[in-house]
Amino acid sequence: MEEVFLSYKREDISRAKAVADGLKAEGLRVFFDAGLKIGERWDEGLETRLNEMPAVAVLWSKKSRKSDMVCSEAARGLSLRKLVPATIEACTIPLGFDRIQTADLRNWRTGDFKHFEWRRFTDALLELAGRQKVEELAPRSPSPFLQHQPLPPAARPANGDSWTEFKHSTLSLADQSVAELASYRFSASRGEVWAQYMLGVMLLLGYGVERNEIEAIACLRFAADRGWSAASYALGVAYENGVGQKIQLKKALACYRKAARAGHQAALQHVLRLEFQGAA
């Protein structure tokens, strides 16, 4: 049986097909049949599928937000607590759905499975389908070109360890486009925690923006205070290496511990290391 009911407007079919193909590549079984014109008609067969499937993915656009059928499908998904919405172009999300966490796929490109918003979207669907989701911003292998580039002297860590590890665990952000950066800033302006974290990392390391350690720390603190474990880990790295403030090992250890309690494996290793060194 299919796992994801994909709701979209007929005029967005090419974009919807790209999303459906991407979800299928992730291993999800998607109900997507162009011949049924999802979002334009409602019949008993569609209603049965909508009720039975564990997840409802809605693609918001200028057309779909005005569609009674798409809004009805979204409302049913919301009432059953299985709605996973995403925007595929700049539009105002319909009233009642605008306070729901929504993935921003406006600049997602077909086949870009590392795109942060795509991962948020897909992980939510995988979780509803009972599959194991990708870990929160799991460190990925850097590209062959970046993997062998030496760190700039000014960016070398004070202790020769945590900064290098953090730098290499975030290299996938080094190639962010201007459009993606604009998307992160837009989401951060709405107070979305993940976007504050992304901006914090990019400002801390100078990925796509001019490096600004003070603003970076503020973004990371915002995300860490709201439970984003990777932000707590990044703050720990900053405190340990004196980035944006003086070196403060006790604060670094506190941040590492907070991230480790949430399951962040790299943070746990740094907790053990600092405790062994007597930082506590």
Side-chain angles (χ1 to χ4, degrees):
M1 186 184 82
E2 293 99 336
E3 299 165 305
V4 179
F5 184 103
L6 187 63
S7 178
Y8 65 97
K9 185 65 174 166
R10 177 68 175 176
E11 286 83 350
D12 302 320
I13 190 169
S14 60
R15 187 63 167 160
K17 185 178 187 304
V19 171
D21 290 343
L23 293 176
K24 291 175 183 177
E26 296 274 4
L28 286 162
R29 296 187 295 275
V30 183
F31 175 65
F32 175 80
D33 188 336
L36 288 178
K37 299 183 181 180
I38 302 175
E40 290 191 351
R41 90 182 196 192
W42 178 269
D43 59 22
E44 185 177 349
L46 286 178
E47 186 174 6
T48 299
R49 289 175 181 268
L50 181 59
N51 290 333
E52 292 179 350
M53 292 183 202
V56 177
V58 174
L59 304 181
W60 293 123
S61 68
K62 293 176 181 177
K63 296 288 187 182
S64 67
R65 68 175 300 276
K66 296 179 180 179
S67 167
D68 291 340
M69 289 299 96
V70 173
C71 289
S72 293
E73 290 161 358
R76 181 63 62 86
L78 180 61
S79 67
L80 296 175
R81 298 188 177 184
K82 58 183 182 180
L83 176 65
V84 180
T87 54
I88 55 175
E89 67 177 358
C91 66
T92 301
I93 296 175
L95 190 65
F97 301 102
D98 52 348
R99 301 186 68 178
I100 301 170
Q101 287 290 322
T102 302
D104 187 349
L105 300 183
R106 290 176 299 167
N107 53 48
W108 173 73
R109 296 181 295 273
T110 303
D112 185 1
F113 299 115
K114 293 183 179 181
H115 188 282
F116 192 79
E117 287 289 86
W118 175 259
R119 290 260 54 88
R120 290 180 72 218
F121 180 64
T122 306
D123 287 351
L125 293 171
L126 286 168
E127 188 171 17
L128 285 170
R131 310 285 193 86
Q132 185 174 358
K133 66 177 182 178
V134 176
E135 293 184 13
E136 176 187 309
L137 199 68
R140 304 184 181 95
S141 300
S143 69
F145 173 77
L146 292 173
Q147 191 169 11
H148 303 293
Q149 300 305 303
L151 291 174
R156 289 192 182 280
N159 65 354
D161 184 20
S162 60
W163 182 267
T164 301
E165 178 184 277
F166 176 68
K167 174 92 172 179
H168 281 274
S169 72
T170 58
L171 280 176
S172 61
L173 300 182
D175 295 327
Q176 298 296 291
S177 68
V178 174
E180 287 167 332
L181 179 59
S183 175
Y184 298 149
R185 285 196 178 280
F186 172 75
S187 297
S189 70
R190 297 190 300 180
E192 296 193 26
V193 178
W194 68 269
Q196 291 282 351
Y197 166 71
M198 294 289 282
L199 278 178
V201 172
M202 296 173 79
L203 288 164
L204 194 67
L205 298 170
Y207 289 158
V209 294
E210 184 176 351
R211 193 173 178 187
N212 187 326
E213 296 174 351
I214 295 177
E215 186 180 352
I217 296 300
C219 290
L220 292 173
R221 281 178 180 156
F222 179 94
D225 289 345
R226 287 157 180 77
W228 197 266
S229 63
S232 297
Y233 166 65
L235 274 179
V237 173
Y239 280 126
E240 183 179 1
N241 293 281
V243 180
Q245 67 270 301
K246 64 181 181 180
I247 293 176
Q248 302 178 69
L249 293 184
K250 288 187 178 180
K251 283 191 174 182
L253 183 56
C255 289
Y256 286 147
R257 282 174 172 165
K258 182 178 180 180
R261 285 195 294 270
H264 199 290
Q265 293 301 307
L268 177 59
Q269 294 302 314
H270 290 311
V271 168
L272 299 175
R273 175 177 56 79
L274 289 180
E275 289 182 343
F276 179 77
Q277 294 173 355

